[in-house]
Amino acid sequence: QTRGAALFGLADTMPGGGGAMMAKKKAQRKAQEAEAAANGHAVGNMARKVAPAEDETMLEDLSRAPKAERSDSFKLDGSKPQSMLHVKREFKRFLSEFALYTVWLMSFAFTILLTRDNTMTFQFADLFRKNIITGNGWDTDLTTVDQFWDFLLEATGAVLANDIFTRSFDDFFAAEPSFLYGNKRVGSLRIRQVRVPPSKCSTFYTSQLLAEGDEQARKSIQCYPEFDTGAKLEKTFKKEGDFQIIDTVAQPWFKYWEATELNEMPIFSATFASYPGSGFYIDVNEAWWTDDGKDLLLEIVPMGDDLVKEPMKNITLSQLRDSNWVDLKTRAIFFDFSFYNPNMNIFLVVRIVVEFLPSGIVSSYSTFRTVDPFRYGTASSSELIIVALFATFAILSMYYASKEFKSIYRNYSKYFTSFWSLVTFTIVICTLSLCGLTGYTIYVTRNVFDNLSATPDQGALQSLGFLLDQEKNFSGIIIVIMVIRVYKFCSVSRSLSTLTRTLGKSAKFLAVLVVLFLVASFGFALSTTLILGQDNYNFYSTSWAMFTLLRAGFGDFDYTEWLSHRFLGPFLLLCWLFFANAFLLNIVVAVICEAFVEVTEENKEADAAGHMTLVDALWDLGPVRKLLQMQKKKRDKIVKLEKTLEMVDVDGDGMTDVKELEGWLHETDAIDLLGVKDASELMAKFDLDGGGNLDPAEVQKLKDYVREKRNEVDQEMAGAVEDQMDKSRNSRRAAATSGDTAALNQRVMKIEQTVIGMSDQLTELTRVMHAISAGGGVAFGSMADVGSRAVSAGPG
């Protein structure tokens, strides 16, 4: 009664007998608790009050686990009666946690969706990518120093060109300054060089070969190594073989500047090395083609303190080339520019790095970053929505952080042994870092754009673009981890949690296989780098070779790449495919299949034992809820009967006649509830003295009868839960065992058929043997017939 009434709010509406039964139940419960405490046993699930678990697992085993014990799934012991209150409590806890996490996840997801329009931003970046690099073939043809100067001429002319239209007049013969394809160029075009100082050649034989026997020349020979981040930089521009001091006022591109002076990032990673933000640079404001169309006249912005002292200088690009600004010491040239699109309110920050390798080859690496530094504004309703979504995400991040840190403080050793705890901890740390990074980018954005009277510095724009791009990349990683954590809530059902439990059971062995795979791939990577690396870009380094091998293991490889060595290349490919694909990957599949079979068997055993998950319990409570609602309606009618029965004596003479009973019956629908046809039958049933009226004593008998009906309904409501739970457990046991029983029956039938076939063959053989003994011989054909039938019958 308590379980049935408390869940649906009926306990407070039970007067009279209902309250007495509840008191009786409470007294019985207290007695059970006292007895269990005396015997040292835990009270059963009917008496135990379960508090929400403070762990990564959403649900606990209410039937067997103690209060503090934690589990990955919600189970109910089919051998014990379960309280609907427990089910409701666990469901509320699961629903609240799932809803809160969904709000956290969706607020972050919608913030990303509303601030990233990849369709338009891709087209914006692709316009300049094709115009500067791919459209002219510089993505593949930029390999020598001469080609670099050709590229610099074309790229500078393209970036600093002006649109052949104006924004204020319909004069298509005048060019709009600093606009290209309707996009405003922001800041100057910056060309920056990073150089290395000379060093002694590595061997005596190298200097001998270069100097050709001249002792003095041999001592002066110097080499120029590849760029190393930890090595010293050349800060004083020294030309090869030229000992004159360079006038950096007349030629400011020969002056060295630190990264902080240029507002550049401390370091930037390209293809072959990571370069500092310092170096020798020029900022170009405008450019014009010469009359012959073969050179560019560059307007150079004064640098540093000279910005307010000196006017802009004009030089041609050929003068920059002829001044030997690029030589053997040059290791990287940075080509930086930025554009703003007012229609989409986004920036394009472009950096093209041309690397000069010690081998003499030139290689290019480019980044086209489309960023929106003004995405968190308050000027429109859409911007306010974005701010509200991100604020919700940040507040929930701090809430989860406090929650997780409390759990760590209470039991840190157990916390870090749980997979889902580690996932949640990772998400919390990453989201808090993202909030901090977002706040920092907003601060940098204001510093860059607050002074609108001055043109933003190109170095500051590059740094801001890099920060915003890393914020975008960080958000992409976080959203994946947050979506993975959704699988934690699959523990409410055995079917939904099959994937996570399968991976959990196979995790240890898979980890061993991953280690074996990495060991083998490292060995193959070293081998392919030595044998194929000098002729194939995909094997030029060990790390890149490991990635190529990983692709080949999954079937993504080009056979011609392995023909750099026509004998060892195909041999290595076959060996790697056999090990990685035919051997190792098949073992991985076998391990996962074995774990899946084990999980499936566990599901069957749990169903056979009657263990229920939260989904099962809620599914079973559907019929119970409907039944209790019907019983509640019936009970409400009986309660109404009791109340109106007090006023059945309408005329107040102390006697109740047939007419008054008839009016009471029709007013309260008591005919169906009491099981009588009319008032006369009811009068005959309770008129004990036969006087034709009901005196107060007889009316009291009628009241007692109605109260008994109400108590019967209460008992039916109390037993409905137990009956339905028992039916559900029995049906699950039957469903779990029916499959095994059907398979066993099929095997038995097959054995019976085989035995019957063997019996028929023995009968035939006996008949033939009798014929032989009676007649002294037998036809060999009939014996062969019997033998053939015996063979065709199967194992028998």
Side-chain angles (χ1 to χ4, degrees):
Q1 176 182 355
T2 304
R3 288 192 299 271
L7 180 59
F8 297 98
L10 302 180
D12 295 336
T13 64
M14 292 183 178
M21 294 188 67
M22 289 181 63
K24 184 178 179 180
K25 290 286 186 179
K26 290 181 179 178
Q28 292 177 354
R29 187 181 297 111
K30 290 182 179 180
Q32 291 177 356
E33 292 176 355
E35 182 181 357
N39 296 331
H41 297 294
V43 182
N45 283 330
M46 291 179 62
R48 183 173 57 231
K49 181 178 181 180
V50 179
E54 299 173 352
D55 191 48
E56 80 287 347
T57 55
M58 181 53 52
L59 302 165
E60 62 183 350
D61 189 338
L62 296 180
S63 60
R64 294 174 296 179
K67 179 177 179 180
E69 186 176 341
R70 299 162 180 174
S71 174
D72 287 333
S73 61
F74 179 88
K75 300 176 182 178
L76 297 175
D77 193 345
S79 62
K80 297 180 181 181
Q82 299 303 315
S83 170
M84 293 177 63
L85 287 176
H86 293 164
V87 177
K88 182 180 179 182
R89 184 183 297 114
E90 289 302 310
F91 176 69
K92 283 185 176 180
R93 185 163 61 87
F94 161 76
L95 196 62
S96 62
E97 176 66 18
F98 181 72
L100 188 63
Y101 186 76
T102 301
V103 172
W104 192 28
L105 174 61
M106 297 308 297
S107 62
F108 184 45
F110 278 108
T111 301
I112 294 175
L113 292 175
L114 293 176
T115 55
R116 313 286 180 185
D117 185 2
N118 287 332
T119 302
M120 291 296 103
T121 55
F122 170 78
Q123 299 298 334
F124 183 32
D126 198 50
L127 168 67
F128 287 88
R129 184 182 294 107
K130 290 179 178 178
N131 186 43
I132 304 298
I133 297 181
T134 59
N136 300 321
W138 291 119
D139 54 333
T140 56
D141 295 340
L142 183 54
T143 56
T144 65
V145 177
D146 291 336
Q147 289 173 343
F148 162 73
W149 286 110
D150 294 338
F151 160 76
L152 192 61
L153 179 67
E154 289 188 14
T156 303
V159 170
L160 298 179
N162 295 321
D163 276 341
I164 308 301
F165 72 92
T166 61
R167 297 169 59 85
S168 56
F169 305 100
D170 293 331
D171 184 3
F172 292 94
F173 295 97
E176 178 72 10
S178 302
F179 272 85
L180 185 61
Y181 309 117
N183 302 294
K184 171 70 174 177
R185 188 175 73 251
V186 181
S188 304
L189 168 66
R190 174 166 292 180
I191 304 174
R192 179 169 59 92
Q193 178 183 173
V194 177
R195 298 167 61 84
V196 293
S199 62
K200 292 184 178 180
C201 296
S202 58
T203 64
F204 171 76
Y205 298 103
T206 303
S207 59
Q208 270 192 326
L209 292 173
L210 294 176
E212 297 181 354
D214 187 350
E215 183 67 23
Q216 187 64 29
R218 196 162 46 240
K219 292 181 179 180
S220 63
I221 289 295
Q222 291 181 325
C223 294
Y224 307 98
E226 62 180 336
F227 185 84
D228 185 4
T229 306
K232 293 182 179 181
L233 299 175
E234 182 176 76
K235 297 185 178 182
T236 301
F237 203 107
K238 295 181 180 180
K239 299 181 182 180
E240 180 73 15
D242 188 357
F243 301 98
Q244 296 180 357
I245 298 176
I246 300 175
D247 184 3
T248 57
V249 176
Q251 297 176 310
W253 50 90
F254 288 110
K255 184 178 180 180
Y256 178 84
W257 299 83
E258 295 289 348
T260 54
E261 297 176 301
L262 300 178
N263 293 321
E264 290 282 355
M265 294 177 288
I267 196 167
F268 181 85
S269 297
T271 303
F272 297 97
S274 296
Y275 302 95
S278 57
F280 308 85
Y281 87 106
I282 57 172
D283 277 352
V284 184
N285 185 49
E286 293 287 344
W288 302 270
W289 289 98
T290 57
D291 294 337
D292 57 3
K294 296 181 179 180
D295 202 358
L296 276 174
L297 180 63
L298 309 178
E299 184 183 61
I300 300 178
V301 180
M303 307 172 188
D305 296 335
D306 297 336
L307 184 62
V308 295
K309 298 179 182 179
E310 300 290 338
M312 294 189 180
K313 298 180 182 295
N314 294 333
I315 65 166
T316 61
L317 190 62
S318 59
Q319 288 178 318
L320 181 66
R321 179 189 58 201
D322 295 340
S323 67
N324 293 327
W325 192 57
V326 175
D327 56 15
L328 292 176
K329 299 179 183 180
T330 302
R331 285 296 169 260
I333 298 289
F334 288 76
F335 188 84
D336 301 338
F337 61 91
S338 302
F339 278 87
Y340 170 69
N341 186 286
N343 301 317
M344 297 186 295
N345 195 30
I346 59 176
F347 284 81
L348 175 68
V349 181
V350 180
R351 167 161 284 179
I352 302 173
V353 184
V354 181
E355 298 180 272
F356 295 76
L357 305 182
S359 60
I361 196 171
V362 173
S363 176
S364 63
Y365 172 81
S366 60
T367 59
F368 290 76
R369 296 189 172 103
T370 52
V371 295
D372 181 10
F374 311 118
R375 62 198 181 283
Y376 298 116
T378 57
S380 63
S381 57
S382 60
E383 290 179 345
L384 289 174
I385 291 174
I386 294 174
V387 171
L389 287 172
F390 187 80
T392 302
F393 166 73
I395 292 172
L396 289 177
S397 298
M398 290 185 286
Y399 164 76
Y400 274 98
S402 63
K403 182 180 177 182
E404 295 305 312
F405 289 146
K406 287 180 181 178
S407 299
I408 295 173
Y409 176 75
R410 288 170 183 166
N411 194 347
Y412 68 90
S413 59
K414 190 171 184 180
Y415 180 90
F416 288 106
T417 58
S418 170
F419 172 76
W420 290 120
S421 293
L422 293 176
V423 171
T424 306
F425 183 77
T426 303
I427 294 174
V428 165
I429 296 299
C430 290
T431 52
L432 291 179
S433 302
L434 178 64
C435 292
L437 179 60
T438 302
Y440 180 69
T441 56
I442 294 174
Y443 169 76
V444 173
T445 300
R446 290 183 177 178
N447 286 343
V448 172
F449 294 102
D450 273 353
N451 187 10
L452 297 179
S453 60
T455 302
D457 184 78
Q458 189 59 234
L461 290 173
Q462 292 291 330
S463 300
L464 178 61
F466 177 79
L467 284 175
L468 292 171
D469 197 51
Q470 301 316 306
E471 178 190 338
K472 179 194 66 176
N473 297 335
F474 201 23
S475 300
I477 295 174
I478 292 174
I479 195 67
V480 171
I481 304 176
M482 292 184 72
V483 170
I484 290 175
R485 190 180 181 271
V486 174
Y487 285 101
K488 168 187 174 181
F489 298 97
C490 292
S491 61
V492 297
S493 171
R494 276 189 290 273
S495 299
L496 293 177
S497 62
T498 298
L499 173 63
T500 54
R501 289 189 291 141
T502 299
L503 294 178
K505 288 183 176 298
S506 57
K508 293 183 178 180
F509 199 78
L510 289 179
V512 174
L513 292 178
V514 168
V515 173
L516 296 177
F517 178 81
L518 292 177
V519 170
S521 61
F522 180 72
F524 273 91
L526 289 177
S527 176
T528 52
T529 302
L530 291 173
I531 297 174
L532 308 175
Q534 63 180 357
D535 299 317
N536 196 308
Y537 178 78
N538 288 324
F539 300 99
Y540 81 94
S541 67
T542 304
S543 58
W544 196 252
M546 290 186 68
F547 180 71
T548 304
L549 290 171
L550 180 63
R551 290 172 46 201
F554 288 98
D556 181 17
F557 64 91
D558 184 1
Y559 180 72
T560 58
E561 294 178 351
W562 297 75
L563 291 177
S564 301
H565 194 292
R566 57 178 179 173
F567 298 115
L568 294 179
F571 175 74
L572 287 174
L573 176 62
L574 291 177
C575 291
W576 172 251
L577 290 180
F578 176 79
F579 174 79
N581 204 334
F583 180 67
L584 198 60
L585 291 182
N586 282 321
I587 293 180
V588 171
V589 173
V591 170
I592 295 177
C593 288
E594 183 180 0
F596 177 77
V597 171
E598 186 176 350
V599 169
T600 304
E601 293 297 326
E602 289 180 356
N603 291 344
K604 291 181 179 179
E605 293 175 0
D607 289 336
H611 295 162
M612 292 186 294
T613 62
L614 180 59
V615 172
D616 299 332
L618 293 176
W619 180 267
D620 292 341
L621 289 182
V624 176
R625 188 182 297 273
K626 293 180 180 178
L627 177 60
L628 289 180
Q629 288 175 349
M630 294 174 59
Q631 296 289 347
K632 183 177 181 297
K633 291 180 180 179
K634 185 176 180 181
R635 185 181 184 281
D636 291 342
K637 290 181 179 180
I638 296 177
V639 171
K640 184 179 179 181
L641 284 181
E642 291 183 301
K643 292 180 179 180
T644 56
L645 191 57
E646 299 292 339
M647 299 177 292
V648 68
D649 186 11
V650 179
D651 53 13
D653 60 355
M655 303 295 290
T656 303
D657 55 20
V658 175
K659 187 176 181 180
E660 290 173 332
L661 281 179
E662 185 176 357
W664 176 69
L665 289 176
H666 287 290
E667 181 183 354
T668 58
D669 294 332
I671 293 178
D672 296 333
L673 294 173
L674 300 180
V676 296
K677 295 178 180 179
D678 50 24
S680 300
E681 183 178 350
L682 185 61
M683 177 65 75
K685 187 173 183 180
F686 290 95
D687 185 13
L688 302 180
D689 57 6
N693 294 317
L694 297 180
D695 56 25
E698 293 170 338
V699 172
Q700 185 60 41
K701 293 282 187 181
L702 178 58
K703 292 180 180 180
D704 294 339
Y705 178 73
V706 173
R707 186 176 294 108
E708 290 176 1
K709 285 288 185 181
R710 177 170 58 81
N711 292 336
E712 290 178 3
V713 174
D714 291 340
Q715 293 176 1
E716 290 176 1
M717 293 174 65
V721 179
E722 299 294 342
D723 294 340
Q724 182 61 33
M725 289 295 186
D726 291 338
K727 290 179 181 179
S728 300
R729 282 189 287 269
N730 293 334
S731 63
R732 282 188 174 81
R733 291 191 184 100
T737 56
S738 61
D740 297 336
T741 304
L744 182 60
N745 290 337
Q746 291 180 357
R747 294 178 62 185
V748 170
M749 291 178 62
K750 186 174 182 180
I751 293 174
E752 289 179 350
Q753 292 175 358
T754 304
V755 172
I756 293 173
M758 293 173 60
S759 176
D760 294 341
Q761 295 166 17
L762 289 174
T763 302
E764 181 69 15
L765 185 61
T766 303
R767 185 185 64 78
V768 173
M769 294 299 295
H770 282 301
I772 292 175
S773 60
V778 66
F780 286 100
S782 61
M783 286 294 292
D785 248 359
V786 175
S788 65
R789 286 196 299 271
V791 170
S792 64

